[in-house]
Amino acid sequence: MALLQFRRPAPGTPGSPALARMLDGYSIEVMPRTAEMVEDFKALLPKGTRVYIAHIDGTPIADMVATASRLSRDGFQVMPHFPARSIPDAATLADWIARYQDAAGITQGLILAGGRAEPAGAFADSMQLLDTGLFDKAGFTHLHVAGHPEGSRDIDPAGGTAATDTALAWKQGFAEQTDARMAIATQFAFDMGPIAAWETRLRASGISLPIHLGIAGPAKLQTLIKFAIACGVGPSLKVLQKRAMDVTKLVLPYTPDEVLRDLADYQVRTPDSLITQVHLFPLGGIKTAATWAAEQTASAAGTKAQRG
């Protein structure tokens, strides 16, 4: 009789309700160039998904706005990036906001410093953008800011987290003044250890902003290592490097099942966790990431039905 008993899947494995629960309400991001390759977003993403529009220097603002307009018409929550170092002055910021609102009714934005080494003009960080008051004046309902579970050499060149901690404390204070709902959208990481330590430290320091945890979607291992190095991912890069040493895993695409399983376990152990949802970085392509997420949800639903 024991052979006939079904073994319950471990949290976070394919078909697990825990993994599907972590992906429930996930957000994702696109660039205008990659969006052009998607014939129908409605067939790809769950209805109402929040879609960030990543700003790449050199992409005309008209292309960004056109992508926002398309996604908005399709019924998605659209959140463009507003990178401080790419915006030369307040007049340009006001113009971008007006364009997004006129074309797509945008009231959400991810406010960040951006990847440029040197500012294009007056703004060097997200706090300066927020401090203009232009987002509040335009009636933005959601303002997200960047988080770095493994630190950021751009913000703390000498290492450590002093500047990032100070910035988050400022943003916590700003959240108490603005009518917009604020949250922290993080850089991706591959190991729950540094993420958990960072989240615990934020709570202890008085930060209460919800965290939308960045997770790298399925991709070739070599692709992930390249992005991880470029984006300054720190301790959890070792997870990828260890995997790369295993020839049997090197040829297989990476999927974030393990870190999501660990996240599910952490959420059970930490009921006051600030982590409220997952943000997928489609480093292996948006179709690949969205299809994988849909498969996890469908598989979990099938497993639940079989057990029921």
Side-chain angles (χ1 to χ4, degrees):
M1 292 295 293
L3 294 176
L4 299 179
Q5 294 179 356
F6 291 102
R7 183 180 179 185
R8 184 171 183 175
T13 58
S16 163
L19 190 149
R21 191 166 58 250
M22 291 298 97
L23 290 170
D24 184 37
Y26 75 87
S27 58
I28 200 164
E29 66 183 44
V30 299
M31 298 177 289
R33 176 175 53 82
T34 55
E36 290 175 356
M37 294 184 274
V38 178
E39 183 176 346
D40 184 3
F41 277 100
K42 291 183 288 186
L44 190 64
L45 299 172
K47 183 178 180 181
T49 297
R50 173 176 284 126
V51 183
Y52 293 72
I53 302 179
H55 183 95
I56 305 298
D57 272 346
T59 302
I61 186 61
D63 292 355
M64 307 286 294
V65 171
T67 303
S69 180
R70 174 191 173 188
L71 290 164
S72 182
R73 288 196 306 271
D74 283 348
F76 297 104
Q77 299 183 60
V78 184
M79 180 172 276
H81 288 195
F82 288 88
R85 295 175 191 167
S86 297
I87 301 173
D89 49 44
T92 301
L93 175 59
D95 176 63
W96 285 19
I97 291 172
R99 289 189 186 212
Y100 277 124
Q101 293 198 317
D102 290 346
I106 297 301
T107 58
Q108 304 190 30
L110 173 62
I111 320 303
L112 68 170
R116 291 177 60 124
E118 296 295 332
F123 303 119
D125 57 52
S126 59
M127 294 173 286
Q128 292 172 326
L129 287 188
L130 292 169
D131 213 22
T132 65
L134 290 172
F135 295 105
D136 287 321
K137 183 178 179 180
F140 270 54
T141 59
H142 294 76
L143 293 172
H144 289 186
V145 294
H148 304 275
E150 298 182 337
S152 170
R153 287 285 182 172
D154 284 342
I155 304 172
D156 287 287
T161 62
T164 53
D165 290 349
T166 299
L168 278 180
W170 187 96
K171 292 163 189 175
Q172 177 69 48
F174 183 84
E176 295 162 7
Q177 303 171 23
T178 178
D179 290 332
R181 296 176 62 181
M182 291 188 65
I184 301 169
T186 81
Q187 181 59 275
F188 57 85
F190 303 97
D191 183 1
M192 195 59 209
I195 295 169
W198 176 75
E199 188 276 337
T200 300
R201 187 166 57 80
L202 290 193
R203 279 188 287 115
S205 68
I207 301 295
S208 61
L209 297 175
I211 294 172
H212 296 197
L213 183 64
I215 296 292
K220 294 179 180 179
L221 190 58
Q222 297 92 326
T223 299
L224 291 181
I225 291 174
K226 179 184 71 174
F227 275 107
I229 293 173
C231 295
V233 171
S236 71
L237 178 60
K238 294 178 181 178
V239 173
L240 298 184
Q241 293 170 330
K242 181 178 180 181
R243 184 184 178 96
M245 294 174 65
D246 186 337
V247 177
T248 63
K249 293 182 178 179
L250 184 60
V251 297
L252 297 174
Y254 166 90
T255 59
D257 303 63
E258 184 174 347
V259 68
L260 287 174
R261 179 193 65 216
D262 292 343
L263 173 59
D265 292 343
Y266 180 75
Q267 296 294 75
V268 170
R269 299 194 311 270
T270 317
D272 57 346
S273 167
L274 299 174
I275 300 171
T276 59
Q277 69 177 75
V278 164
H279 174 67
L280 283 180
F281 284 86
L283 304 183
I286 187 169
K287 292 181 180 179
T288 300
T291 300
W292 173 82
E295 288 172 351
Q296 303 312 304
T297 302
S299 181
T303 301
K304 184 176 181 181
Q306 288 179 6
R307 290 205 307 268

